[in-house]
Amino acid sequence: MSIEHAFHPPTITTAEGRPLDVIEVRGLTVDCIVGIFNRERISAQPLQVDVALFLDTRSAAGGKLSQTVNYGRLAGELRFLLESCRFELLESAAEAICRYVLAPPTEDVPRAQVHAATVRVTKPHALGGLAIPSLQVHRSAEEMVYGKEEKSFGRVDIIHEGTGYGVYRLRVRPGGHIPTHVHQKMEESELVLGGGLHLQHRPVARGQAFHWPRGFPHRYDNPSSTEQTVLCVDKPGFIPSDEVETEAPPEGLTPVTGTSYYPHDELVASESSTGTRS
């Protein structure tokens, strides 16, 4: 169900008074857990998302996608985020989206820095058709503070933590690896953002998502010369004692097949040199 009602992001200007450019993704509808009532905690319902990103796209006018935001991939990342978390409030969903899109870019996923974002989330079925509740928020990059944790494989950016979930960006240094490990308490979903990782000792394409059952051994390696990133959602939020390193089974790590969250269109050859090719 697509809700057609006006989305009015504000006008945001630079310090010199010039309006920033705006990239909008409207009408992204995702079935997810959002709500505080028992029925809403059990069954997914549609959540419609409208996003406006404020940035300077002038350097992308020459044809470099890495100098703007790939809205096709962004839509997939937001869909993964919404499907993987279990939000109690619209406020939680909106804040998680803002914090994710405003996070600084990484080397393996070059893009323009987003300076501000307006996000509207709508629950079209919440009131049985009597009315349509929504929430619109606006956040700036300069007000965002992200926690960081140093790890043996690199570091973790703490994007957002809420009641019953945590959103993290795992940054695997060149030559680093996330050792074979299992979880017994947390449910974990991961979306591979970089294009140079190996999972279970096999190359894995960017945009592939995986849900790890409890007790399932998994491992990442980064044989590339560039830091590689993974978007991770833990439910509940990360429990250090629940990341238990283990030996690989004698028969080797089980190969896995992910779910693609990125468009399948192939980028033109000129983009392959910018590190943005699928």
Side-chain angles (χ1 to χ4, degrees):
M1 179 178 179
S2 178
I3 306 303
E4 298 295 337
H5 55 295
F7 178 47
H8 294 297
T11 298
I12 306 299
T13 61
T14 65
E16 296 76 26
R18 187 183 70 83
L20 282 169
D21 306 326
V22 186
I23 292 176
E24 294 187 1
V25 176
R26 297 190 183 191
L28 177 66
T29 303
V30 182
D31 288 337
C32 62
I33 297 295
V34 55
I36 59 175
F37 299 111
N38 287 338
R39 57 182 171 79
E40 296 179 307
R41 306 306 297 166
I42 296 172
S43 300
Q45 63 179 300
L47 188 71
Q48 182 170 306
V49 178
D50 302 296
V51 178
L53 308 179
F54 298 87
L55 66 162
D56 189 336
T57 65
R58 285 177 292 181
S59 59
K64 289 188 176 181
L65 185 56
S66 60
Q67 299 299 311
T68 182
V69 171
N70 185 325
Y71 48 78
R73 289 180 180 170
L74 174 65
E77 291 158 14
L78 296 183
R79 183 164 63 91
F80 167 81
L81 189 64
L82 292 168
E83 289 178 349
S84 300
C85 294
R86 295 192 185 112
F87 300 111
E88 292 189 333
L89 299 174
L90 290 179
E91 288 81 351
S92 305
E95 194 69 21
I97 292 170
C98 284
R99 290 186 61 81
Y100 179 69
V101 300
L102 292 172
T106 56
E107 187 179 1
D108 60 324
V109 190
R111 61 165 173 80
Q113 172 66 55
V114 178
H115 297 290
T118 299
V119 172
R120 182 175 64 182
V121 286
T122 303
K123 287 173 67 174
H125 295 173
L127 299 178
L130 297 176
I132 300 172
S134 69
L135 168 72
Q136 181 169 311
V137 303
H138 181 83
R139 303 287 184 267
S140 65
E142 64 182 13
E143 65 183 304
M144 293 297 171
V145 177
Y146 299 94
K148 299 177 182 178
E149 294 183 356
E150 298 299 322
K151 299 288 187 179
S152 62
F153 61 79
R155 81 180 199 198
V156 173
D157 296 333
I158 302 172
I159 301 297
H160 180 64
E161 291 182 313
T163 302
Y165 66 90
V167 181
Y168 312 96
R169 191 166 61 181
L170 314 181
R171 303 175 65 163
V172 187
R173 60 176 173 78
H177 67 277
I178 300 178
T180 304
H181 64 284
V182 299
H183 305 294
Q184 301 296 349
K185 299 178 181 178
M186 296 184 297
E187 295 179 44
E188 188 169 69
S189 300
E190 292 178 328
L191 177 67
V192 175
L193 301 177
L197 279 173
H198 286 192
L199 172 61
Q200 310 296 72
H201 297 300
R202 294 168 173 81
V204 58
R206 66 173 83 231
Q208 295 292 308
F210 304 88
H211 175 74
W212 302 116
R214 295 184 178 97
F216 188 91
H218 52 287
R219 170 192 176 106
Y220 289 98
D221 290 270
N222 179 10
S224 78
S225 59
T226 303
E227 179 185 75
Q228 299 291 315
T229 54
V230 177
L231 178 59
C232 174
V233 174
D234 287 328
K235 301 184 293 288
F238 182 67
I239 303 171
S241 62
D242 194 43
E243 185 154 303
V244 181
E245 293 189 21
T246 184
E247 296 292 330
E251 65 276 14
L253 291 170
T254 304
V256 291
T257 300
T259 301
S260 178
Y261 276 76
Y262 283 175
H264 295 291
D265 298 337
E266 192 72 12
L267 297 178
V268 295
S270 63
E271 284 300 325
S272 64
S273 61
T274 67
T276 59
R277 188 179 179 86
S278 296

